Amino acid sequence: MLTEQFLLLGASFLPMNILVCLSKVPDTTSKISFTDNNTRFNTQGVQFILNPSDEWYALVRAIEIKESLGKGSVAAVMVGGAEDDSLLRKAVAIGADTLYRINAQPQDAYSVARMLADFIKGQSFDLVMTGRETIDYNGGEVPAMLAELLGWELVSPVNKLDIIDGKVRIESELGALTEVLECDLPLVVSAAKGLADQRIPNMWGIRNSRLAVIHVIEPSPVAPLTRIVKFDLPPAKGQVKMIPADQPELLVKLLHEEAKVI
Amino acid sequence: MNILILAETHHGTFRKSALEAATYARKIASTVSGKVLALTYGIEADHAASLGEYGVDEVLLLSGEPDPLGLTEAMAHAVKEKNIDLAVLAYNIVGRHVAPRLSARLEAGLISGAIELPQWQNGTMLVRKNVFSGKAIATVECSTPLKILAFAPNSTQPEKSPVHTAVVSYAPPLPVSRIHKVEVREKKGEVSLPDAEIVVSAGRGLKGPENWGIVEDLARALGAATACSRPVADVGWRPHHEHVGQTGLTIRPNLYIAIGISGAIQHLAGVNQSKVIVVINKDPEAPFFKAADYGIVGDAFEVVPKITEAVRKLKAST
Ligand SMILES: Cc1cc2nc3c(=O)[nH]c(=O)nc-3n(C[C@H](O)[C@H](O)[C@H](O)COP(=O)(O)OP(=O)(O)OC[C@H]3O[C@@H](n4cnc5c(N)ncnc54)[C@H](O)[C@@H]3O)c2cc1C
């Protein structure tokens, strides 16, 4: 109870330390193919980017919060290999202060969440921000797993986030509902549309990012709980049926009688 | 093998996802033999018994309406007490909290976004799910003693399979979230997009927010949710939660109607799992037609009101 109160009070005058979890994903226009008898994603010729919701929403909002409070820090962490360093540096180009790379190849959501949690437990972050979902494996599992392993609360999705008197005020859009929430720290949030806008690094940021030190963390090994055994491409789409613009009744008839969806 | 589902409720009735979960679990149970249990809340006991029609043998009824933290605890409790081997839930707003938490807490492998029933090979579960924003399908395996399967909403239709069912009240000690709900805003009469069966979506082709009336009219006539492309949400013509695509929501309705949307690869990534796609665009070269089942080349402002009219006629006649 005492620590809780301390955290609450403390957050209003202590600097906020924010950690943003970043994932590496293929560029949105990538052609997706597989190797080794369709058991592995073919990275040949694929351009990698930071996962859009991690970068555009989580990271940018974290930096905006630090800027608006005028204190605190933003750290970014990625589970990945040395080949990911240049991508991770982009976080500094956008405005992050500190970079960590947990030196392992991501295997499944659980092993990534465990390595992140083990790292976070030894640090003193107040707020951990992730993106809502990666655009490669589309799991969206890491945020809740991380919250569970840390014993922290989670808000997901987060479409608006402000710090008011050391408390976090959040808007979470759940279909036709919008919840306005007030949360204590520490907290895990998963960032979604609306939280912030993409930022293009400036010259200064790019220069800083080249000089940035990446702290490499060696994790204790974690066995994954699931494994991908095979990839398939989705079945090809049939031919589109074109309907003359002056026959909307025909479309409605086909949707009712042929497709049976209305 | 004993299966536990999470059966979500809303205003005292089961959500469709609850019936989907029951159907899913019953189909699995019929191939591997075992009991189907459901954990539920916020519903009268005699209503809760209706899950028996969908193949649930035993319903564990919680008091109150626990938050995801409480539901995770209740699921974890039931898993141990009832010798559960497989937990089944929808991968929706609540499922996205509960399933990964349960997985991390019990070190149980989680396969989320399943699009089909699982296959079994000597105690290993194999499930297919969409990856790379619908550009591929992965088969994922899980062999932990407890397994968690979180299926993509709308990937299965509720089917009746009546069994004798017992409803018991269930009261494990549950934690309470410290998150304080200051306000809940509900847009009355709107269909929730993530689990909508029909979605009417529009893009920059509509020219401005004042023109959305024709989109909303069509949606209302169809009982559909509305959605939009990214630039439309970015400039604030429509709320953020309507943004579908690779950087917004991924949806898989039975019918997706795209009006004045060009069909960029990032947009398609969020909607290409829809069962039927209709595209209305004045440009015959719009890339979206390649991903469509039905297409109309024409001006949205002329075509859409006529479609709405035809839908109203159909609804009036059936
Ligand atoms: C990293 C990244 C991520 C992205 N993520 C997303 C995403 O998640 N979702 C998304 O939607 N986009 C996303 N985009 C943007 C995407 O590339 C497209 O720019 C966007 O989808 C285009 O939106 P639109 O189709 O509404 O507009 P436009 O491309 O401008 O298309 C408008 C269409 O309307 C038609 N039209 C115009 N007038 C009429 C009329 N009177 N009647 C009928 N048709 C008419 C035109 O022929 C045209 O096809 C992303 C882009 C990037 C780079």
Side-chain angles (χ1 to χ4, degrees), chain A residues 171-201:
Chain A
E171 285 192 22
S172 181
E173 294 179 358
L174 312 167
L177 281 186
T178 301
E179 291 186 345
V180 183
L181 307 167
E182 208 170 72
C183 319
D184 297 333
L185 297 169
L187 183 69
V188 178
V189 298
S190 101
K193 178 83 182 180
L195 193 54
D197 291 318
Q198 187 179 10
R199 261 197 200 187
I200 309 297

Coordinates of all heavy atoms in Angstrom, one line a residue, chain A residues 171-201:
Chain A
E171 N -8.3 7.5 -23.5 CA -9.5 7.2 -24.2 C -9.3 5.9 -25.0 O -8.3 5.8 -25.7 CB -10.0 8.3 -25.1 CG -10.5 9.5 -24.3 CD -11.2 10.5 -25.2 OE1 -11.7 10.2 -26.3 OE2 -11.3 11.7 -24.7
S172 N -10.2 5.0 -24.8 CA -10.1 3.7 -25.4 C -11.4 3.5 -26.3 O -12.5 3.4 -25.7 CB -10.0 2.6 -24.3 OG -9.8 1.3 -24.9
E173 N -11.2 3.3 -27.6 CA -12.4 3.2 -28.5 C -12.7 1.7 -28.7 O -11.8 1.0 -29.2 CB -12.1 3.9 -29.8 CG -12.0 5.4 -29.6 CD -11.7 6.1 -31.0 OE1 -11.6 5.4 -32.0 OE2 -11.7 7.3 -30.9
L174 N -13.8 1.2 -28.2 CA -14.2 -0.2 -28.3 C -15.4 -0.3 -29.2 O -16.5 -0.3 -28.7 CB -14.5 -0.7 -26.9 CG -13.4 -0.4 -25.8 CD1 -13.9 -0.7 -24.4 CD2 -12.1 -1.2 -26.1
G175 N -15.3 -0.3 -30.5 CA -16.4 -0.3 -31.4 C -17.3 0.9 -31.2 O -16.7 2.0 -31.3
A176 N -18.5 0.7 -30.8 CA -19.4 1.9 -30.7 C -19.3 2.5 -29.3 O -20.0 3.5 -29.0 CB -20.9 1.5 -30.9
L177 N -18.4 2.0 -28.4 CA -18.2 2.6 -27.1 C -16.9 3.3 -27.0 O -15.9 2.8 -27.6 CB -18.1 1.5 -26.1 CG -19.3 0.8 -25.5 CD1 -18.9 -0.2 -24.4 CD2 -20.3 1.8 -25.0
T178 N -16.8 4.4 -26.3 CA -15.5 5.0 -26.0 C -15.5 5.1 -24.5 O -16.3 5.7 -23.8 CB -15.4 6.4 -26.6 OG1 -15.5 6.3 -28.0 CG2 -14.0 7.0 -26.2
E179 N -14.4 4.5 -23.9 CA -14.2 4.6 -22.4 C -13.2 5.6 -22.1 O -12.1 5.6 -22.7 CB -13.8 3.2 -21.9 CG -14.9 2.2 -22.0 CD -14.5 0.9 -21.3 OE1 -13.3 0.7 -21.0 OE2 -15.4 0.1 -21.0
V180 N -13.5 6.5 -21.1 CA -12.5 7.4 -20.6 C -12.0 6.8 -19.3 O -12.8 6.6 -18.4 CB -13.1 8.8 -20.4 CG1 -12.0 9.8 -20.0 CG2 -13.8 9.3 -21.7
L181 N -10.7 6.6 -19.2 CA -10.2 5.9 -18.0 C -9.1 6.7 -17.3 O -8.4 7.5 -17.9 CB -9.5 4.6 -18.5 CG -10.4 3.7 -19.3 CD1 -9.6 2.6 -20.0 CD2 -11.5 3.0 -18.5
E182 N -9.1 6.5 -16.0 CA -8.0 7.2 -15.2 C -7.2 6.0 -14.6 O -7.8 5.2 -13.9 CB -8.6 8.1 -14.2 CG -7.7 9.2 -13.8 CD -8.4 10.2 -13.0 OE1 -8.7 9.9 -11.8 OE2 -8.8 11.3 -13.4
C183 N -5.9 6.0 -14.8 CA -5.1 4.9 -14.4 C -3.9 5.4 -13.6 O -3.4 6.4 -13.8 CB -4.6 4.1 -15.5 SG -5.7 3.9 -16.9
D184 N -3.5 4.5 -12.6 CA -2.3 4.8 -11.9 C -1.1 4.1 -12.6 O -1.3 3.2 -13.5 CB -2.4 4.1 -10.5 CG -3.5 4.7 -9.7 OD1 -3.8 5.9 -9.9 OD2 -4.0 4.0 -8.8
L185 N 0.1 4.5 -12.3 CA 1.3 3.9 -12.8 C 1.7 2.9 -11.8 O 1.4 3.0 -10.6 CB 2.3 5.0 -13.1 CG 1.9 6.0 -14.1 CD1 2.8 7.2 -14.1 CD2 1.8 5.4 -15.5
P186 N 2.5 1.9 -12.2 CA 2.9 1.6 -13.6 C 1.8 1.0 -14.4 O 0.8 0.5 -13.8 CB 4.1 0.6 -13.4 CG 3.7 -0.1 -12.1 CD 3.0 0.9 -11.3
L187 N 2.0 1.0 -15.7 CA 0.9 0.6 -16.6 C 1.5 0.2 -17.9 O 2.5 0.7 -18.4 CB 0.0 1.8 -16.8 CG -1.3 1.7 -17.7 CD1 -2.3 0.8 -16.9 CD2 -1.9 3.1 -17.9
V188 N 0.8 -0.8 -18.6 CA 1.2 -1.2 -19.9 C 0.0 -0.7 -20.8 O -1.1 -0.8 -20.5 CB 1.3 -2.7 -20.1 CG1 1.6 -3.1 -21.6 CG2 2.4 -3.3 -19.2
V189 N 0.3 0.0 -21.9 CA -0.7 0.4 -22.9 C -0.4 -0.1 -24.3 O 0.8 -0.2 -24.6 CB -0.9 1.9 -22.9 CG1 -1.3 2.5 -21.6 CG2 0.3 2.6 -23.4
S190 N -1.4 -0.4 -25.0 CA -1.2 -0.8 -26.4 C -1.8 0.3 -27.3 O -3.0 0.6 -27.2 CB -1.7 -2.2 -26.7 OG -2.9 -2.3 -27.3
A191 N -1.0 0.9 -28.1 CA -1.3 2.1 -28.8 C -2.0 1.8 -30.1 O -1.6 0.9 -30.9 CB 0.0 2.9 -29.1
A192 N -3.0 2.6 -30.4 CA -3.7 2.5 -31.7 C -4.0 3.8 -32.3 O -3.6 4.9 -31.7 CB -5.1 1.7 -31.4
K193 N -4.6 3.8 -33.4 CA -4.9 5.0 -34.2 C -5.4 6.1 -33.4 O -6.2 6.0 -32.5 CB -6.0 4.5 -35.2 CG -6.5 5.6 -36.1 CD -5.7 5.7 -37.3 CE -6.2 6.9 -38.1 NZ -5.4 7.1 -39.3
G194 N -4.9 7.3 -33.7 CA -5.4 8.5 -33.0 C -4.5 9.0 -32.0 O -4.5 10.2 -31.6
L195 N -3.7 8.1 -31.5 CA -2.8 8.5 -30.3 C -1.8 9.6 -30.7 O -1.5 10.5 -30.0 CB -2.1 7.2 -29.8 CG -1.4 7.4 -28.5 CD1 -2.4 7.8 -27.4 CD2 -0.8 6.0 -28.0
A196 N -1.3 9.5 -31.9 CA -0.3 10.4 -32.4 C -0.2 10.3 -33.9 O -0.8 9.4 -34.5 CB 1.1 10.1 -31.8
D197 N 0.6 11.2 -34.5 CA 0.8 11.1 -36.0 C 2.2 10.8 -36.2 O 3.1 11.2 -35.5 CB 0.5 12.5 -36.6 CG -1.0 12.8 -36.6 OD1 -1.8 11.8 -36.8 OD2 -1.4 13.9 -36.3
Q198 N 2.4 10.1 -37.4 CA 3.8 9.7 -37.8 C 4.7 11.0 -37.8 O 4.3 12.1 -38.1 CB 3.7 9.2 -39.2 CG 4.9 8.6 -39.7 CD 4.7 8.0 -41.1 OE1 3.7 8.2 -41.8 NE2 5.7 7.3 -41.6
R199 N 5.9 10.8 -37.3 CA 6.9 11.9 -37.4 C 8.1 11.5 -38.3 O 8.6 10.4 -38.2 CB 7.5 12.0 -36.0 CG 6.9 13.1 -35.2 CD 7.9 13.5 -34.0 NE 7.1 14.2 -33.0 CZ 7.6 14.8 -31.9 NH1 8.9 14.7 -31.7 NH2 6.8 15.4 -31.1
I200 N 8.4 12.5 -39.1 CA 9.6 12.2 -40.0 C 10.8 12.8 -39.3 O 10.8 13.9 -38.8 CB 9.4 13.0 -41.3 CG1 8.0 12.7 -41.9 CG2 10.5 12.7 -42.3 CD1 7.8 11.2 -42.3
P201 N 11.8 11.9 -39.2 CA 13.1 12.4 -38.4 C 13.7 13.6 -39.1 O 13.7 13.7 -40.4 CB 14.0 11.2 -38.5 CG 13.2 10.0 -39.0 CD 12.0 10.6 -39.7

